[in-house]
Amino acid sequence: MTILRREDIVTLKKRALQTRRKRIRICVHRSDEEIVQEMFIVHAKNTYVRPHKHLFKKESLHIMEGRADILLFNKKGNVQKVIPMGDLRSGLTFYLKLENPTYHSMIISSETLVFMEITNGPFRKNETAFAPWSPDESDYDAVRVYRENLMNDVNSMK
């Protein structure tokens, strides 16, 4: 049995802000081999989520706290769709399920974003394809410029 309380999420939010990548997760599945992979994830506002797609998986996101724009891209790297998301009380979309391999990312607008992600297992790192037109997260200068351009694109689409 796994039980999480509000205090656990508060702790996760504090710890996420202390990490280099400004993110943290609790996996509630027991191993990478489990058929269902469930995670509670916290990202800070400036977290870079490199555009990626899952080759053989479905993925669902349930926003518990905070706000973010989910970005869906075409193969060339152009933003095709922006889905503003927030928790249930926000009046925005709070749940999203991606059924097909689609390049996606997010831009977080709240100080932290708390969400639950569920995907099918087993987890295989090589089954995630990072967009070749997006910078690796270790290239800080390129990431900063890329994120600024993305935010401009998103704002022009709203």
Side-chain angles (χ1 to χ4, degrees), residues 30-119:
R30 292 183 181 191
S31 79
D32 289 349
E33 299 303 315
E34 294 262 341
I35 299 300
V36 177
Q37 309 272 306
E38 297 175 283
M39 297 150 277
F40 289 88
I41 303 171
V42 176
H43 288 333
K45 184 173 190 169
N46 293 321
T47 299
Y48 172 57
V49 178
R50 185 175 180 189
H52 63 285
K53 64 181 175 180
H54 306 287
L55 302 178
F56 309 107
K57 297 186 177 292
K58 298 176 182 180
E59 174 182 29
S60 67
L61 301 173
H62 174 188
I63 306 296
M64 297 171 60
E65 181 182 310
R67 292 186 180 200
D69 289 323
I70 304 301
L71 312 179
L72 305 180
F73 300 87
N74 65 18
K75 292 178 184 177
K76 294 180 181 179
N78 299 313
V79 177
Q80 291 297 106
K81 188 167 187 163
V82 177
I83 305 167
M85 294 187 70
D87 62 42
L88 184 61
R89 291 171 283 152
S90 73
L92 298 171
T93 299
F94 69 92
Y95 176 83
L96 170 69
K97 184 174 183 181
L98 295 172
E99 299 267 355
N100 299 306
T102 304
Y103 284 117
H104 60 282
S105 181
M106 63 174 62
I107 294 177
I108 299 154
S109 54
S110 53
E111 288 305 310
T112 55
L113 180 71
V114 181
F115 60 101
M116 183 178 194
E117 180 178 308
I118 301 173
T119 189

Side-chain angles (χ1 to χ4, degrees), residues 123-139:
F123 173 73
R124 301 286 183 259
K125 194 170 193 164
N126 64 346
E127 293 178 356
T128 298
F130 290 101
W133 33 260
S134 66
D136 184 88
E137 67 179 41
S138 64
D139 188 345

Side-chain angles (χ1 to χ4, degrees), residues 48 133-149:
Y48 172 57
W133 33 260
S134 66
D136 184 88
E137 67 179 41
S138 64
D139 188 345
Y140 301 113
D141 290 333
V143 165
R144 182 183 47 76
V145 170
Y146 181 72
R147 287 188 79 241
E148 286 173 7
N149 291 334

